[in-house]
Each structure stands twice: as structure tokens, then as C-alpha cells.
Amino acid sequence: MLENKLGITDSTELARAEEKISKQKAIEMFENGFFEKLEPGTYKSLAMIHKYLFHEIYDFAGELRKVNISKGNFRFAPLMYLEAALQGIDKMPQSTFDEIIEKYVEMNVAHPFREGNGRSMRIWLDLTLKKEIGYVVDWSKVDKEDYLLAMERSPIKDIEIKHILKNALTDNINDREIYMKGIDHSYYYEGYFVFKTKDLTEI
């Protein structure tokens, strides 16, 4: 159970609040021109996205994690190497689709935040694809199980995740509906599916 600014002590209640508030923030980001200020492909831009999404919920929003974390049997970058790993990722090239996905895979291995890495990183990935090659991922076309398995295997072999994401690319880079559906799917991968973005825009 993560400490939070909302004073919530029940994990189910926290998950619902986190989903609702951070999805509203994701909608805001799209509508207020926030992405225009960001430099694609940098850790700094990812931290700014993370902070925007989660600053009303967690004190650690936009801050490097201070603990080692793992998922299943996979350990993300150890704390002692984390800053060096992020500096290396910042220097990686990002002028082609393959290069951008390779950078995304490395950022996923780094997993720089205590919580909310995947959701922030998929927004960050789309920002980079959009600004560098004029495409974004239509996440509504990406199967949850295929994606999660491919991401799990990606540190050893990234051909699967490249194939899955390449098949879901669209050049409708400013389409509001594609973005909103993408946020819903991105959250669904992580088990958050109580609120739909289209309903939150009407609140």
C-alpha cells in the first residue's frame, strides 16, 4: 500500500482514485498543449509526464525511485545503476522506428519511478514517435497479453514488441479519439478499467 496525498488506506479505493485523477490529467495534457513543451525521448520529459499524471496523488511523482523494484521474476535496473542507465538512454539515437522502440525497451528496464512507469512511458513513447517520425501507436489495436509478453521478453529480444507496435502505427497523430482510447487501453494493461476517458471528459 503506497503512501498517498489523499489519505487513502484501502488499496482498491486508492486504485480507483489513482485511475480517475490521473486519467483526467492525461486528458488535460492532450488538450492544453503540454506536449509541445517537451523534448522527445529524454528522461526529463518522461519525469514531467509522470509528475503531471500523479502529482495530486503521490509525493514521489516525477522523482526517481529510492527502492529496488521487480515484477514477477524480473528485476528492474538496480538503484545503484539507475542514474547512469538513464544518462545512457538519453544518449541513444531516436531517428527511426527501431531506434525509438529500442530506447523504449531500455527505459522500461530502467523503470525509474516507484509506480506508474508503464502508463507514463507509453505516453512518452507516442510523443517521441510523433515528433521524430510522424506516427503514434493506436493502442486500441494492441492486444494486452501479446503486449505484456512481448515487453517481458524485450530485454533479450525486441523483435516481437517491434512487430506488434509497428502493426498498430497510425499517422493520425493529433486525433483526440485515438489518444483517449489509447489512454484507456494503456491503463487496462495495468489492470485499471473502472473509468473511461470519454466519461471523465464530461464530468
Side-chain angles (χ1 to χ4, degrees):
M1 182 71 207
L2 291 170
E3 273 190 42
N4 58 84
K5 293 181 175 182
L6 308 172
I8 295 172
T9 53
D10 176 78
S11 57
T12 306
E13 191 188 337
L14 178 60
R16 285 173 64 93
E18 184 185 312
E19 180 184 0
K20 184 177 183 182
I21 293 166
S22 62
K23 274 187 175 176
Q24 285 170 328
K25 291 293 174 188
I27 296 162
E28 258 178 46
M29 270 192 223
F30 182 83
E31 294 182 339
N32 69 9
F34 175 77
F35 295 125
E36 302 311 310
K37 309 169 200 163
L38 302 182
E39 188 184 345
T42 63
Y43 166 68
K44 185 182 177 184
S45 66
L46 177 61
M48 288 171 74
I49 290 167
H50 189 271
K51 185 166 189 173
Y52 201 109
L53 286 176
F54 299 110
H55 75 94
E56 289 186 11
I57 309 156
Y58 299 119
D59 283 324
F60 60 72
E63 304 290 327
L64 274 183
R65 58 182 162 86
K66 296 179 172 65
V67 292
N68 287 317
I69 57 172
S70 59
K71 197 172 197 174
N73 294 322
F74 187 79
R75 289 187 169 281
F76 296 108
L79 209 52
M80 62 188 292
Y81 303 124
L82 185 54
E83 287 195 42
L86 292 170
Q87 287 166 15
I89 293 165
D90 269 358
K91 291 176 187 150
M92 288 176 72
Q94 56 185 53
S95 58
T96 66
F97 171 80
D98 281 3
E99 287 175 353
I100 293 166
I101 302 305
E102 284 154 22
K103 195 167 202 175
Y104 172 59
V105 165
E106 288 304 312
M107 189 62 87
N108 186 59
V109 172
H111 241 61
F113 311 114
R114 182 70 186 82
E115 167 72 16
N117 287 279
R119 288 166 284 165
S120 306
M121 272 188 264
R122 285 184 284 275
I123 293 172
W124 176 82
L125 171 62
D126 274 334
L127 171 74
T128 310
L129 288 167
K130 177 180 177 176
K131 292 201 173 179
E132 297 290 356
I133 62 169
Y135 286 92
V136 292
V137 177
D138 181 347
W139 295 99
S140 67
K141 293 182 176 169
V142 179
D143 178 79
K144 175 182 177 177
E145 296 308 320
D146 290 349
Y147 168 78
L148 292 175
L149 277 172
M151 284 305 291
E152 206 176 292
R153 293 194 271 254
S154 65
I156 295 132
K157 201 166 190 180
D158 61 19
I159 191 164
E160 255 181 291
I161 194 64
K162 284 177 178 172
H163 175 74
I164 287 167
L165 296 182
K166 189 167 241 178
N167 282 342
L169 289 179
T170 174
D171 59 3
N172 287 333
I173 56 174
N174 297 310
D175 189 291
R176 189 176 184 276
E177 191 182 348
I178 285 174
Y179 177 83
M180 298 301 175
K181 281 196 303 184
I183 294 296
D184 284 335
H185 271 74
S186 174
Y187 275 63
Y188 166 64
Y189 302 151
E190 313 285 343
Y192 296 89
F193 46 78
V194 175
F195 301 98
K196 287 270 187 280
T197 50
K198 66 179 173 60
D199 300 327
L200 294 173
T201 54
E202 291 155 15
I203 289 170

